[in-house]
Amino acid sequence: MGIQYDDFLDESYAPGDADLLCTFRLAPGEGMSLEAAAARVASESSNGTWAALDVESDISRLSAMAYDLERETNTVRVAYPPELFEPGSLPQILSCIAGNIMGMKAVDTIRLVDCEWPESVVSGFPGPGFGPAVKSEFLDATDRPALATVPKPKVGLPTSEHVRVAREAWLGGVDLLKDDENLTDQAFNPFRERVVDSFAARDEVQDETGERKDYLVNVTAETTEMLERVDFVHEQGGSFVMVDIITCGWSALQTVRERCEELGLAIHAHRAMHAAFDRLPHHGVSMRVLAQWARLAGVDHLHTGTAGFGKLENEDTAGINEWLRSDLYGMKEVLPTASGGLHPGVVPQVLDALGPELIVQAGGGIHGHPDGTRAGAMALRQSVEAWQEGVSLEEYAKSHPELRVAVEKWGSESPR
C-alpha cells in the first residue's frame, strides 16, 4: 500500500495507553502549513518517506500520528506506538523522537518540549539504583540537603592541593567532594593517585568528625576505560561515581549503570553540554526531556539548575525536579543537584524555591571565603541550619562568625 504524509495526521486520534506521547513546538518551513509540517515530523520519526511506495504489508499500525495541534503556539503532539522501540535502548528511542526531524527542511526550528512515557516503554529501563536514599544510606544527611563542593580552581590543582582542599571542606561540614566535569586523568592530577589519596583523607576525616563523607569521582572516559575506573573507585571504598552523561553518551551511561548495579554504586550525573540542546527556546531538546532520559537510564543525582539563584540561565528547575520525583510506575526518584554560582547568602532562596530534597553544591562560594575553605564549608552548613530553623541569615550570623563573614562578602545576590 502507498503511504502518504496525510496518513500521519489525524486530529481526532485518541492515543492508546501504551503510546509514547511527545510534545513538539515547531516553526514550519517556508511554504509549509503547521498541519503539513506536523505530518512530516510523525512520518520522518516513524515509517514514512518522501516517495509513494508500493508496500504489500500493512505497516500503518507502526506509524506515528500527529494528533493534537495548538495553532496559537505551533505546538504539536505526536503519538508513537511502543512496537517502534527496542526495549531498553535509549539511543534507538532518541534516534526516533529526536533524530532526523531536528534537521528537516519541513521545519525551520523544532523543539522536543516534553514526553509522556508509557509503562510499556519505561519497563525496559532500570531507573536509579538508589535515588534520594543516598542521603541516608551513604551519608548523614537524612533531614537536610546533602552538601557538595568542587575544589577551586576546578582544574589545575596538583593532587596534593586537591586533597588538602577536600580535607578542609569535609572538616567544615561538607558531605561530598566532587570532581569538576573537566577533571578526569590529567598529568597535573592523575586519576588513580587522586582517588587513592582522596579516600585516604576521607577516611581520616570520618574518624575525626564521626560523619560519613564521600567523593563523587569523575569516571568519564571511553566506555571500557570508564568501567575500569568504576571498578577502581569501588576498590578504594567509594560509593559514588560521576559521569558527564551527555558528552560521554547514553549508551555508555547505560553500560556504566549495569556495572554500578553489580558493585552497589550510585551515579552522580553532570549535564555538561546540555545547553547545546536546550538553551535556545525554539529548537533542540528541553532540559525537562534530557532529565527524563537520565532517569530512565538510571542516574541517582542530576544537576538541574538553581531556579535562577546561581550563575546559570534560569530554567524550569522546580518543574524538572518535580518530574524527577514523580511516580513513574514504581521507578525510583532522582535526587536533584543545585549548582552553579551558589554561596551561603543565596542558599535560603534556593531551598525556598526547591525544597530540601537536594544536593546543594558550592565551589567558589566555599573556597572564596575570606577565612579559607573550612570556614566557607562551615558557612554553607550554617546557612542550611538557619533555613531549617526558620531564622534569617542575618540573625543566625550573629552567633556564627563564618556565616557572618560570608554574608558580608557576598550578600544575597547571585553571581553572573
Side-chain angles (χ1 to χ4, degrees):
M1 61 177 290
I3 295 181
Q4 305 298 321
Y5 289 128
D6 290 347
D7 297 332
F8 295 88
L9 174 65
D10 180 358
E11 294 194 63
S12 65
Y13 179 75
D17 292 340
D19 288 350
L20 170 58
L21 309 180
C22 294
T23 301
F24 297 95
R25 187 167 56 245
L26 58 88
E30 184 177 357
M32 187 79 61
S33 67
L34 180 64
E35 292 82 359
R40 281 161 171 76
V41 169
S43 167
E44 181 63 33
S45 57
S46 60
N47 58 1
T49 187
W50 63 271
L53 303 176
D54 183 15
V55 180
E56 294 183 0
S57 302
D58 181 7
I59 61 171
S60 60
R61 63 183 179 83
L62 299 177
S63 298
M65 188 63 67
Y67 69 97
D68 184 9
L69 279 61
E70 295 180 8
R71 290 166 176 82
E72 291 185 1
T73 59
N74 277 5
T75 300
V76 175
R77 301 187 83 197
V78 178
Y80 296 89
E83 294 85 357
L84 283 175
F85 306 121
E86 177 184 349
S89 176
L90 196 53
Q92 186 273 331
I93 295 174
L94 307 194
S95 294
C96 174
I97 65 174
N100 283 351
I101 57 174
M102 294 293 168
M104 294 191 306
K105 291 181 180 179
V107 295
D108 281 343
T109 59
I110 182 169
R111 183 174 180 85
L112 178 54
V113 177
D114 199 1
C115 297
E116 295 178 39
W117 299 90
E119 187 172 13
S120 58
V121 175
V122 171
S123 62
F125 293 93
F130 299 93
V134 297
K135 293 204 302 163
S136 57
E137 290 196 28
F138 299 141
L139 304 170
D140 297 316
T142 303
D143 299 322
R144 61 171 173 83
L147 303 180
T149 191
V150 175
K152 297 290 183 175
K154 58 186 186 177
V155 291
L157 292 178
T159 303
S160 59
E161 184 68 5
H162 178 101
V163 174
R164 184 195 68 79
V165 172
R167 186 191 302 273
E168 289 293 294
W170 277 322
L171 287 170
V174 162
D175 303 289
L176 292 162
L177 173 68
K178 176 188 168 298
D179 284 338
D180 187 72
E181 69 272 14
N182 302 339
L183 183 63
T184 54
D185 186 26
Q186 290 97 315
F188 57 82
N189 194 344
F191 176 84
R192 288 179 174 256
E193 177 182 284
R194 179 173 75 253
V195 170
V196 169
D197 292 356
S198 295
F199 277 116
R202 186 279 307 262
D203 293 345
E204 294 172 359
V205 170
Q206 286 188 151
D207 290 342
E208 183 172 340
T209 64
E211 286 188 346
R212 289 179 291 175
K213 310 288 184 179
D214 223 300
Y215 179 14
L216 307 174
V217 184
N218 188 2
V219 298
T220 302
E222 179 277 326
T223 307
T224 302
E225 177 64 27
M226 275 207 293
L227 295 179
E228 293 179 2
R229 292 179 184 180
V230 170
D231 292 345
F232 190 71
V233 171
H234 175 66
E235 292 168 5
Q236 299 304 311
S239 300
F240 302 88
V241 296
M242 171 183 146
V243 180
D244 297 337
I245 62 173
I246 296 176
T247 57
C248 84
W250 302 102
S251 299
L253 172 60
Q254 288 189 268
T255 300
V256 168
R257 172 65 177 84
E258 290 180 3
R259 182 62 60 86
C260 287
E261 176 78 21
E262 297 170 6
L263 300 177
L265 301 182
I267 298 174
H268 182 83
H270 197 285
R271 61 178 182 163
M273 197 180 170
H274 76 96
F277 297 89
D278 70 12
R279 181 158 185 169
L280 299 179
H282 53 277
H283 191 74
V285 179
S286 71
M287 183 60 213
R288 180 182 180 89
V289 173
L290 294 173
Q292 293 170 5
W293 298 346
R295 184 179 181 184
L296 293 174
V299 308
D300 295 284
H301 334 139
L302 174 66
H303 291 245
T304 60
T306 61
F309 298 109
K311 67 182 180 182
L312 303 178
E313 273 293 308
N314 193 9
E315 51 198 326
D316 182 24
T317 303
I320 294 167
N321 291 1
E322 182 181 1
W323 190 91
L324 292 174
R325 300 185 184 112
S326 66
D327 177 58
L328 193 63
Y329 313 105
M331 180 175 283
K332 290 179 181 176
E333 302 173 12
V334 174
L335 182 64
T337 297
S339 67
L342 296 183
H343 59 78
V346 299
V347 165
Q349 300 171 69
V350 172
L351 298 180
D352 283 341
L354 302 178
E357 279 300 297
L358 296 172
I359 295 175
V360 174
Q361 180 202 301
I366 286 179
H367 311 298
H369 192 285
D371 297 323
T373 291
R374 189 182 305 196
M378 293 173 69
L380 185 70
R381 183 84 170 252
Q382 290 162 6
S383 70
V384 172
E385 293 168 352
W387 183 84
Q388 288 179 300
E389 295 178 20
V391 178
S392 71
L393 289 186
E394 292 73 16
E395 183 64 28
Y396 205 74
K398 292 178 181 178
S399 57
H400 295 83
E402 298 82 12
L403 180 59
R404 183 181 68 250
V405 170
V407 172
E408 289 173 352
K409 181 175 179 63
W410 291 304
S412 59
E413 299 296 320
S414 59
R416 294 186 63 182

